[in-house]
Amino acid sequence: MRIIQFSKSTSYALHALVRLARSEPGVNVGIKELSASLGIPESYLSKVMSKLRQDGLVRAVTGASGGYELARSPEKISFLDVIQVIEGRQHLYECFHTDAQRPSKPQCLIHQVMDGAEERLLQYLREHTIQWVLDRRKEHEPIV
Amino acid sequence: MRIIQFSKSTSYALHALVRLARSEPGVNVGIKELSASLGIPESYLSKVMSKLRQDGLVRAVTGASGGYELARSPEKISFLDVIQVIEGRQHLYECFHTDAQRPSKPQCLIHQVMDGAEERLLQYLREHTIQWVLDRRKEHEPIV
DNA sequence: CAATAATGGACATTACAGGTCTATAATAGT
DNA sequence: ACTATTATAGACCTGTAATGTCCATTATTG
């Protein structure tokens, strides 16, 4: 049965963004340094970073001494932002009979419950940002 | 990237359970009737029902005039129960570096956020049961 | 014994996650 | 201008999971 779990790419993206948020502003971090410090395959991480750039979460500079930096401040990048870029914006649940039988008719009750559950999930992810991680990070021993 | 969405099987299972909950107690509903009334391929639905039986959500009787019935009352079957049977009990998130580098060490902060989000989701699914659907069903026109 | 019905296994198909490699374009330093 | 550096986009490969079908077996009722 389908694995209901965020992809590795999401994990990669989140860690990369925290890493970028920790570097001096205005300093580009190259894919080599990024992948080495996080332990992620370089060629694959570059795909993920490309996607983050296309969706406006990071800026990229090509050429010597180029690299990546955050496109906006860490408190403006929520977990939900990152997840939606990587995983897409599909809903958590789709009734097997949607589209076919009811074009935008009132949802069935099962569907309503699932949408309610999704909203709880999204709300929490919306409320937590990269900055949240940075703040907590100062307190404990620096895990990530 | 991996689709973060419940499988069709989960949708099948939820609809089937609501259907069983609506039938007279003590009456077995056969796979033919079940699949016909829901519009689900019979051979595939039987797989799903088998799984529900193995995990104790329904009882099955083989042989003539056999079929399925709920193993316990609808208010004791939560959405979470069903989902965990079908999708498994994996966590919504796994850091790409778990196991390998930190055997049961304190989670990284990203992990903590994701676990928090998961808990909100699970809580909502735990609070909504098959009976919840039956109750609401009486009010509106019977959608599902 | 015969008809009915669930079970379990094998199997086919499709899609996608994860990953690699390469050619191309852009940039900084010499 | 040349060269080294770096991101980008594309093609390609592999394994695995979701969906679904089919069949042989087992169990139950009449």
Side-chain angles (χ1 to χ4, degrees), chain B residues 23-103:
Chain B
S23 77
E24 298 301 314
V27 174
N28 290 326
V29 181
I31 195 71
K32 274 215 177 81
E33 188 183 343
L34 208 50
S35 65
S37 79
L38 297 176
I40 299 174
E42 184 184 324
S43 48
Y44 190 64
L45 181 58
S46 73
K47 287 288 172 60
V48 174
M49 297 308 296
S50 243
K51 196 156 213 171
L52 293 180
R53 184 193 60 87
Q54 285 166 15
D55 284 67
L57 293 190
V58 303
R59 274 190 294 269
V61 176
T62 54
S65 84
Y68 302 94
E69 64 176 341
L70 295 188
R72 52 184 198 258
S73 60
E75 72 266 14
K76 295 234 176 77
I77 302 181
S78 71
F79 275 61
L80 183 59
D81 291 331
V82 182
I83 289 167
Q84 288 190 328
V85 164
I86 303 297
E87 308 283 352
R89 282 151 185 83
Q90 291 103 350
H91 287 280
L92 194 57
Y93 179 78
E94 242 182 59
C95 263
F96 64 88
H97 51 61
T98 33
D99 309 335
Q101 307 186 5
R102 329 199 157 95

Side-chain angles (χ1 to χ4, degrees), chain B residues 94-113:
Chain B
E94 242 182 59
C95 263
F96 64 88
H97 51 61
T98 33
D99 309 335
Q101 307 186 5
R102 329 199 157 95
S104 75
K105 285 292 170 50
Q107 287 172 341
C108 81
L109 291 163
I110 291 172
H111 208 139
Q112 285 179 31
V113 172

Side-chain angles (χ1 to χ4, degrees), chain A residues 1-3 30-31 47 53-54 62-64 67-68:
Chain A
M1 316 274 169
R2 187 174 308 180
I3 292 181
I31 194 73
K47 286 287 176 56
R53 184 193 60 88
Q54 286 166 14
T62 54
Y68 301 94

Side-chain angles (χ1 to χ4, degrees), chain A residues 5-16 18-19 22 34-41 133 137 142-144, chain B residues 93-112 114-115:
Chain A
Q5 189 176 253
F6 291 114
S7 63
K8 271 192 184 184
S9 297
T10 290
S11 188
Y12 290 167
L14 287 167
H15 279 87
V18 170
R19 176 70 183 70
R22 287 177 50 207
L34 209 49
S35 66
S37 81
L38 297 176
I40 299 174
V133 174
R137 207 175 168 281
I143 306 176
V144 168
Chain B
Y93 179 78
E94 242 182 59
C95 263
F96 64 88
H97 51 61
T98 33
D99 309 335
Q101 307 186 5
R102 329 199 157 95
S104 75
K105 285 292 170 50
Q107 287 172 341
C108 81
L109 291 163
I110 291 172
H111 208 139
Q112 285 179 31
M114 298 300 250
D115 277 3

Side-chain angles (χ1 to χ4, degrees), chain A residues 54-86:
Chain A
Q54 286 166 14
D55 284 66
L57 293 190
V58 303
R59 273 190 294 269
V61 176
T62 54
S65 83
Y68 301 94
E69 63 176 342
L70 294 188
R72 53 184 196 258
S73 59
E75 72 266 15
K76 296 232 177 75
I77 302 180
S78 73
F79 274 62
L80 182 59
D81 291 331
V82 182
I83 289 167
Q84 288 191 328
V85 165
I86 301 296

